[in-house]
Each structure stands twice: as structure tokens, then as C-alpha cells.
Amino acid sequence: MTTTTREIHLAARPQGWPTPEDFRTVEVELPDPGPGEVLVRNTVMSVDPYMRGRMNDVKSYVPPYRLDAPLDGGAVGEVVASGDDSLSPGDTVLHQLGWREHALAPARSFRKIDTSAVPASAYLSVLGMPGLTAYVGLTRIAEVREGDTVFVSGAAGAVGSLAGQIARKLGAAKVIGSAGSPEKVAWLTGELGYDVGLDYKAAPIGKQLAEHGPVDVYFDNVGGDHLEAAISAMGDFGRVAVCGMIADYNAETPQPGPRNMMMIVSKRLTIRGFIVTDHADAAGEFYERAGAWVAAGELAYRETYEDGLDRAVDAFLGVLSGANTGKMLVRL
Ligand code: NDP
């Protein structure tokens, strides 16, 4: 027996903003799993900003996607056939073979997850990579302390929506977030409990943030004008966790850096980038704490869905342009 299924390939390397023509949907036949292999029907797949970087043919912390080969990324699914004792049909698993309707791989590629308390999708959002990223950035990189004023950019996205709430849990006295619409800002200051929400499209972010400093910790998801605004608003000895710079991901030429870098010296700032995969050893502590917060209803999260593999490219383009509130996911 074989399974006829579909996957999305990278057809061309995007120049600037990706277009639907850069992707191709391909039908494939998968054999039954051999000894040690498992066949999974994917139910939800993740689209993430970092995937844009992997579409370029450049050396980075993860290898670039190959042309004319399936994309990959986080996904959850249900085991349909197993050639390995560790997994059985019906098990729900987390893995990295997204962008396809079925995944066939050695059993070690899949991690069985417990869906008794949260839906499987939570392992791609609040209890997954975005949640761990927020936690690591705040605890290990910026080292948030009791009484800090914390500014989070991209605050209504997957990582940012959790970062503001976790900062509060860690003792932050004042939490400021920026996002790209009045609806998102209302979510920040409403359900998420941010003290201040700034709509960066309504007025220059530097001007808005200046009214709410000094900032002790900046969790940077955006770079560009937001990083410059944060440097200007930081207090002495401020700490910046540089998580991402989405403002630059589709730039065709290198973007200028902040114009106020001299303040790094005068304010004695610490600015430190990080990659979540370097901190896998924090995962156990994170799952324990975040799992308890979610169970107690103390860590709110939202997921924005597109339906079907045919919408996956639109979901990806959407996450780059702000179509999501919370985590952007594709239901398969
Ligand atoms: P999000 O869910 O935050 O989605 C991206 C959001 O960025 C959009 O919804 C949009 O929201 C905002 N955005 C897009 N362009 C701009 C711009 N020019 N200026 C300001 N905001 C913009 O994505 P994630 O939470 O998954 O990722 C957030 C950041 O963290 C990204 O930079 C990502 O690369 C990074 N990251 C880094 C990791 C690491 O290990 N270092 C791990 C995971 C993520 P809006 O409507 O508000 O504009």
C-alpha cells in the first residue's frame, strides 16, 4: 500500500518579499513505514518568520532550504501506521516535518505529546518553540528582575504575546508592548495585562516610547526603528535581548543600523542576541512553569488559523505582514 499525499516545495529563492510563485505544491506517494519508521498524518503545521531566512542561500545557524525539495518546520499530527514499538496508531506527536500532509520518518524524529490538558497545537505555540523563546530571552539573556520596566516589540505575535506576560510573572513592574493595529494594542492592554500598548503604525515608535521610559529591559522582535527607539528610551545599565529583526527580513539591501549607538556606551547597555535552540536545556524548567501557568489560566495565548495546505503559503506571507494575532498556524 502507498499513501498519496501533498507537500510544499521551494520553487525559487524569494527576492525581497516572497510571492506565491516561489512555492510549488507537489503530490507524492509514500510507502508504508518500514521497520523503525512511522507514518504520521499532520493536523497542524507552523509558519514562522525564521523560515524566511532559510529561503535565502546563505550560511546561518540553520541550513538553507533546498530548491525543489519540501520545506520543513514544526508540526503536530497523529500516527497512522508504525513500524516501531515506541509509537502506536492514534498517538499524537510533535516533529519538524511540516509543510506536508503526511510525514514518513524514523520513529526518533517524532516526540509523543500529552494532549489531556492542552490541544496539540499548544506545542507549536504557548508550550512550544515560541514560548521557550520568550522564556529564555527574559530569564537567561535579559535576566529580568523584580521592579524592571520591560518593553516588548512584536508584542501581539507568538513570542511577544507570551514575553510580556512572562516578564510580569518574573517580577516586572511595568510592561510596555508595541504592535501594528488598534485591535492588537487593545488585546495587549486587555487580556494580556500589558500596562502600555503602542500602535507603531499610528505614530513614530521612538516618540511614543519616550513617554514611558526609562526602560530596563528591551525584548527585541523587530529591530530597525524599534531598536533605535529602545536604545533612546533605555536607562543606564539596560539589557536588550535581541530575539529577531523582522523589519529587515525582506529587505533587498542591508538596512542601516540604529543612529544612536553611542548611547550603548554612555548608558553602559548590554545588547545580546540569542537562538532558542542553544537553550534546549531550559525546556524542562520552562514546560513545568509554563504548563502550570496555562493550567491555572494565568498565561493567555491565541492562535490564528488558515485552513488547508493550499493556504500554507498565504499563512506564511501573513505572518510576515501582521495577519496573525498570537501564533500563526495552518490546520491540515
Ligand atoms: P510573530 O507571531 O510575532 O509574527 C510576526 C509579527 O511581526 C507580525 O505579526 C507583525 O505584527 C510583526 N511585524 C512584521 N513586520 C514588522 C515591522 N516592519 N515592524 C514591526 N513589526 C512587524 O512571529 P514570532 O513570534 O514567531 O517571532 C517574533 C520574532 O522572534 C521574529 O523576529 C522571529 O524571527 C524571532 N524568533 C527568534 C527566535 C530565536 O531563537 N532567536 C525563535 C523564534 C522567533 P504587527 O501587526 O504588530 O506588525
Side-chain angles (χ1 to χ4, degrees), residues 48-50 129 133 154 157-160 178-181 184 200-201 221-222 226 242-247 249 274-277 319-324 326:
D48 298 87
Y50 80 86
M129 185 273 281
T133 302
V159 174
S178 66
S181 74
K184 289 185 181 185
Y200 72 89
K201 289 183 181 164
N221 287 312
V222 170
H226 279 70
V242 185
C243 176
M245 295 201 169
I246 196 166
Y249 292 174
F274 72 102
I275 296 296
V276 64
T277 46
V319 84
L320 296 176
S321 57
N324 58 307

Side-chain angles (χ1 to χ4, degrees), residues 145-329:
R145 301 193 271 266
E146 201 76 35
D148 277 344
T149 292
V150 177
F151 171 48
V152 180
S153 58
V159 174
S161 60
L162 302 169
Q165 297 179 82
I166 295 173
R168 177 84 75 204
K169 289 271 174 208
L170 298 171
K174 181 173 172 185
V175 184
I176 306 164
S178 66
S181 74
E183 294 76 23
K184 289 185 181 185
V185 167
W187 185 49
L188 299 184
T189 53
E191 187 180 12
L192 300 190
Y194 276 74
D195 299 289
V196 178
L198 308 174
D199 178 353
Y200 72 89
K201 289 183 181 164
I205 187 65
K207 205 156 166 264
Q208 295 188 66
L209 186 62
E211 290 168 25
H212 300 283
V215 169
D216 301 299
V217 163
Y218 173 42
F219 191 106
D220 190 12
N221 287 312
V222 170
D225 58 345
H226 279 70
L227 180 56
E228 184 170 299
I231 290 173
S232 285
M234 302 294 294
D236 287 349
F237 302 102
R239 291 100 68 204
V240 181
V242 185
C243 176
M245 295 201 169
I246 196 166
D248 291 353
Y249 292 174
N250 293 302
E252 294 189 55
T253 52
Q255 296 302 290
R259 291 166 297 181
N260 52 357
M261 285 174 68
M262 183 55 205
M263 287 186 191
I264 298 170
V265 180
S266 58
K267 297 184 180 184
R268 289 84 97 207
L269 305 181
T270 303
I271 300 184
R272 190 176 160 202
F274 72 102
I275 296 296
V276 64
T277 46
D278 292 335
H279 299 273
D281 61 309
E285 171 191 321
F286 163 70
Y287 290 132
E288 199 169 305
R289 296 184 80 180
W293 292 332
V294 171
E298 295 171 6
L299 189 58
Y301 67 102
R302 208 178 271 188
E303 295 164 346
T304 297
Y305 281 94
E306 290 284 354
D307 279 298
L309 193 70
D310 293 328
R311 298 288 303 161
V313 169
D314 295 283
F316 174 64
L317 298 178
V319 84
L320 296 176
S321 57
N324 58 307
T325 301
K327 181 75 187 95
M328 183 65 110
L329 296 169

